[in-house]
Amino acid sequence: MSLRLLGRTVATRTVARPSIGLKIRHLQSSVPDSSGFSGHDNIKNNTNLEILDLALTKVHDLGWSSTAVARAATELGYSSMAHGVAPDGAISLISHFMDRALDETCIEVDDQLHEFPDTSECLRFICTTRLKQTLPYVQRWPEAAAILAQPQNVPLAMRHLTNLSSQMWYLAGDKSTRIDWYARRSALAAVYLSTELFMCEDRSPNHQDTWRFLKQRFQDMDKAEHIGSKTVAFGEQFSRNLYNILASRGYVSH
């Protein structure tokens, strides 16, 4: 099977999913390497991915930390100081998870998107699928959100969020280059981010309140899109308030 992803085709394979990403490699690694890297570089990269994949299973007990990476490396027979696996500690592990979760989301939704009658429903399905990738870590995700909100990590967080929004629009069939391209992606990113933060505190059965919250946010976004320029304000409003949301819930200090 192959998957069309932002203008390039990558090979994929379907695997059992006992937990996020323990059996598949990043979609990017399926693209033929023309960079001139040696086989040693590829082996090192695969080793790093193996360690980080296992480290994700340690997050529940050890949090998003260098300790989780070191524990995984030791269990796999590598030095706990394995060079280059997580040079930035917790943020490397969080970034690895977000890459992996997006890859799996793209694979999971690829053959189901034709079932949805309109773009909004399609986007909501993609958002729901991606949010479910975070559910196994939901008790620890506020910790990750607080790390991402630190000033030195905000550029990385924004890159991940921008890429996520762009991929979701692309999968939903939007190939436009219209003037509202950025505004629409900002609005979708805001919808996703606000729902993810809501999900962290949702204690309803099967997170039913989260899915209702997501549906309402899409209704709000649809209304804003019909108004045109207000889409920009919708996206900026939530983006501007990210730090305040985290601070109000005690994840970061004011």
Side-chain angles (χ1 to χ4, degrees), residues 190-203:
V191 166
Y192 178 85
L193 183 60
S194 60
T195 306
E196 187 175 66
L197 293 172
F198 182 92
M199 184 175 71
C200 290
E201 297 188 349
D202 181 13
R203 301 295 180 263

PDB file of all heavy atoms in Angstrom, residues 190-203:
ATOM      1  N   ALA A 190      -6.014  25.666  16.072  1.00  0.00           N
ATOM      2  CA  ALA A 190      -6.640  26.132  17.312  1.00  0.00           C
ATOM      3  C   ALA A 190      -7.684  25.148  17.800  1.00  0.00           C
ATOM      4  O   ALA A 190      -7.790  24.861  18.995  1.00  0.00           O
ATOM      5  CB  ALA A 190      -7.270  27.505  17.082  1.00  0.00           C
ATOM      6  N   VAL A 191      -8.480  24.623  16.876  1.00  0.00           N
ATOM      7  CA  VAL A 191      -9.494  23.620  17.227  1.00  0.00           C
ATOM      8  C   VAL A 191      -8.829  22.395  17.836  1.00  0.00           C
ATOM      9  O   VAL A 191      -9.242  21.887  18.887  1.00  0.00           O
ATOM     10  CB  VAL A 191     -10.320  23.230  15.986  1.00  0.00           C
ATOM     11  CG1 VAL A 191     -11.143  21.966  16.242  1.00  0.00           C
ATOM     12  CG2 VAL A 191     -11.241  24.370  15.577  1.00  0.00           C
ATOM     13  N   TYR A 192      -7.790  21.918  17.166  1.00  0.00           N
ATOM     14  CA  TYR A 192      -7.110  20.709  17.652  1.00  0.00           C
ATOM     15  C   TYR A 192      -6.501  20.947  19.029  1.00  0.00           C
ATOM     16  O   TYR A 192      -6.681  20.149  19.959  1.00  0.00           O
ATOM     17  CB  TYR A 192      -6.023  20.268  16.670  1.00  0.00           C
ATOM     18  CG  TYR A 192      -5.288  19.059  17.198  1.00  0.00           C
ATOM     19  CD1 TYR A 192      -5.789  17.783  16.984  1.00  0.00           C
ATOM     20  CD2 TYR A 192      -4.142  19.210  17.975  1.00  0.00           C
ATOM     21  CE1 TYR A 192      -5.152  16.679  17.526  1.00  0.00           C
ATOM     22  CE2 TYR A 192      -3.509  18.116  18.520  1.00  0.00           C
ATOM     23  CZ  TYR A 192      -4.015  16.851  18.289  1.00  0.00           C
ATOM     24  OH  TYR A 192      -3.392  15.761  18.844  1.00  0.00           O
ATOM     25  N   LEU A 193      -5.773  22.048  19.171  1.00  0.00           N
ATOM     26  CA  LEU A 193      -5.062  22.323  20.410  1.00  0.00           C
ATOM     27  C   LEU A 193      -6.007  22.496  21.588  1.00  0.00           C
ATOM     28  O   LEU A 193      -5.790  21.947  22.674  1.00  0.00           O
ATOM     29  CB  LEU A 193      -4.201  23.569  20.238  1.00  0.00           C
ATOM     30  CG  LEU A 193      -3.324  23.963  21.425  1.00  0.00           C
ATOM     31  CD1 LEU A 193      -2.345  22.852  21.749  1.00  0.00           C
ATOM     32  CD2 LEU A 193      -2.582  25.258  21.119  1.00  0.00           C
ATOM     33  N   SER A 194      -7.078  23.245  21.394  1.00  0.00           N
ATOM     34  CA  SER A 194      -8.023  23.464  22.493  1.00  0.00           C
ATOM     35  C   SER A 194      -8.687  22.152  22.900  1.00  0.00           C
ATOM     36  O   SER A 194      -8.917  21.906  24.085  1.00  0.00           O
ATOM     37  CB  SER A 194      -9.073  24.499  22.102  1.00  0.00           C
ATOM     38  OG  SER A 194      -9.819  24.085  20.968  1.00  0.00           O
ATOM     39  N   THR A 195      -8.982  21.280  21.928  1.00  0.00           N
ATOM     40  CA  THR A 195      -9.603  19.991  22.242  1.00  0.00           C
ATOM     41  C   THR A 195      -8.631  19.082  22.973  1.00  0.00           C
ATOM     42  O   THR A 195      -9.007  18.373  23.912  1.00  0.00           O
ATOM     43  CB  THR A 195     -10.094  19.302  20.959  1.00  0.00           C
ATOM     44  OG1 THR A 195     -10.956  20.177  20.238  1.00  0.00           O
ATOM     45  CG2 THR A 195     -10.845  18.017  21.290  1.00  0.00           C
ATOM     46  N   GLU A 196      -7.367  19.111  22.567  1.00  0.00           N
ATOM     47  CA  GLU A 196      -6.365  18.277  23.234  1.00  0.00           C
ATOM     48  C   GLU A 196      -6.218  18.669  24.693  1.00  0.00           C
ATOM     49  O   GLU A 196      -6.143  17.803  25.578  1.00  0.00           O
ATOM     50  CB  GLU A 196      -5.031  18.404  22.508  1.00  0.00           C
ATOM     51  CG  GLU A 196      -3.960  17.451  23.014  1.00  0.00           C
ATOM     52  CD  GLU A 196      -2.702  17.535  22.177  1.00  0.00           C
ATOM     53  OE1 GLU A 196      -2.041  18.596  22.197  1.00  0.00           O
ATOM     54  OE2 GLU A 196      -2.372  16.545  21.501  1.00  0.00           O
ATOM     55  N   LEU A 197      -6.191  19.972  24.964  1.00  0.00           N
ATOM     56  CA  LEU A 197      -6.092  20.431  26.343  1.00  0.00           C
ATOM     57  C   LEU A 197      -7.349  20.075  27.138  1.00  0.00           C
ATOM     58  O   LEU A 197      -7.279  19.701  28.306  1.00  0.00           O
ATOM     59  CB  LEU A 197      -5.850  21.937  26.377  1.00  0.00           C
ATOM     60  CG  LEU A 197      -4.494  22.392  25.836  1.00  0.00           C
ATOM     61  CD1 LEU A 197      -4.439  23.912  25.748  1.00  0.00           C
ATOM     62  CD2 LEU A 197      -3.354  21.865  26.687  1.00  0.00           C
ATOM     63  N   PHE A 198      -8.519  20.184  26.498  1.00  0.00           N
ATOM     64  CA  PHE A 198      -9.770  19.790  27.155  1.00  0.00           C
ATOM     65  C   PHE A 198      -9.727  18.304  27.504  1.00  0.00           C
ATOM     66  O   PHE A 198     -10.142  17.890  28.593  1.00  0.00           O
ATOM     67  CB  PHE A 198     -10.952  20.093  26.233  1.00  0.00           C
ATOM     68  CG  PHE A 198     -12.290  19.767  26.824  1.00  0.00           C
ATOM     69  CD1 PHE A 198     -13.012  20.721  27.522  1.00  0.00           C
ATOM     70  CD2 PHE A 198     -12.846  18.495  26.692  1.00  0.00           C
ATOM     71  CE1 PHE A 198     -14.257  20.424  28.080  1.00  0.00           C
ATOM     72  CE2 PHE A 198     -14.079  18.181  27.239  1.00  0.00           C
ATOM     73  CZ  PHE A 198     -14.786  19.152  27.941  1.00  0.00           C
ATOM     74  N   MET A 199      -9.237  17.488  26.578  1.00  0.00           N
ATOM     75  CA  MET A 199      -9.190  16.038  26.764  1.00  0.00           C
ATOM     76  C   MET A 199      -8.364  15.646  27.979  1.00  0.00           C
ATOM     77  O   MET A 199      -8.657  14.651  28.651  1.00  0.00           O
ATOM     78  CB  MET A 199      -8.628  15.380  25.505  1.00  0.00           C
ATOM     79  CG  MET A 199      -8.621  13.857  25.527  1.00  0.00           C
ATOM     80  SD  MET A 199      -8.067  13.143  23.936  1.00  0.00           S
ATOM     81  CE  MET A 199      -6.309  13.574  24.001  1.00  0.00           C
ATOM     82  N   CYS A 200      -7.340  16.439  28.283  1.00  0.00           N
ATOM     83  CA  CYS A 200      -6.478  16.128  29.417  1.00  0.00           C
ATOM     84  C   CYS A 200      -7.232  16.157  30.746  1.00  0.00           C
ATOM     85  O   CYS A 200      -6.817  15.499  31.710  1.00  0.00           O
ATOM     86  CB  CYS A 200      -5.303  17.099  29.469  1.00  0.00           C
ATOM     87  SG  CYS A 200      -4.091  16.877  28.149  1.00  0.00           S
ATOM     88  N   GLU A 201      -8.314  16.895  30.812  1.00  0.00           N
ATOM     89  CA  GLU A 201      -9.081  17.007  32.054  1.00  0.00           C
ATOM     90  C   GLU A 201     -10.445  16.343  31.972  1.00  0.00           C
ATOM     91  O   GLU A 201     -11.220  16.383  32.925  1.00  0.00           O
ATOM     92  CB  GLU A 201      -9.242  18.483  32.427  1.00  0.00           C
ATOM     93  CG  GLU A 201      -7.916  19.167  32.704  1.00  0.00           C
ATOM     94  CD  GLU A 201      -8.074  20.568  33.248  1.00  0.00           C
ATOM     95  OE1 GLU A 201      -9.207  21.082  33.222  1.00  0.00           O
ATOM     96  OE2 GLU A 201      -7.072  21.138  33.714  1.00  0.00           O
ATOM     97  N   ASP A 202     -10.729  15.725  30.847  1.00  0.00           N
ATOM     98  CA  ASP A 202     -12.033  15.092  30.648  1.00  0.00           C
ATOM     99  C   ASP A 202     -12.082  13.752  31.369  1.00  0.00           C
ATOM    100  O   ASP A 202     -11.252  12.876  31.121  1.00  0.00           O
ATOM    101  CB  ASP A 202     -12.272  14.893  29.150  1.00  0.00           C
ATOM    102  CG  ASP A 202     -13.629  14.260  28.850  1.00  0.00           C
ATOM    103  OD1 ASP A 202     -14.488  14.204  29.762  1.00  0.00           O
ATOM    104  OD2 ASP A 202     -13.828  13.830  27.703  1.00  0.00           O
ATOM    105  N   ARG A 203     -13.044  13.577  32.250  1.00  0.00           N
ATOM    106  CA  ARG A 203     -13.216  12.322  32.973  1.00  0.00           C
ATOM    107  C   ARG A 203     -14.526  11.638  32.596  1.00  0.00           C
ATOM    108  O   ARG A 203     -14.968  10.714  33.282  1.00  0.00           O
ATOM    109  CB  ARG A 203     -13.182  12.572  34.490  1.00  0.00           C
ATOM    110  CG  ARG A 203     -11.896  13.213  34.993  1.00  0.00           C
ATOM    111  CD  ARG A 203     -10.699  12.292  34.802  1.00  0.00           C
ATOM    112  NE  ARG A 203      -9.463  12.919  35.285  1.00  0.00           N
ATOM    113  CZ  ARG A 203      -8.609  13.559  34.498  1.00  0.00           C
ATOM    114  NH1 ARG A 203      -8.870  13.660  33.180  1.00  0.00           N
ATOM    115  NH2 ARG A 203      -7.518  14.104  34.985  1.00  0.00           N
TER     116      ARG A 203
END
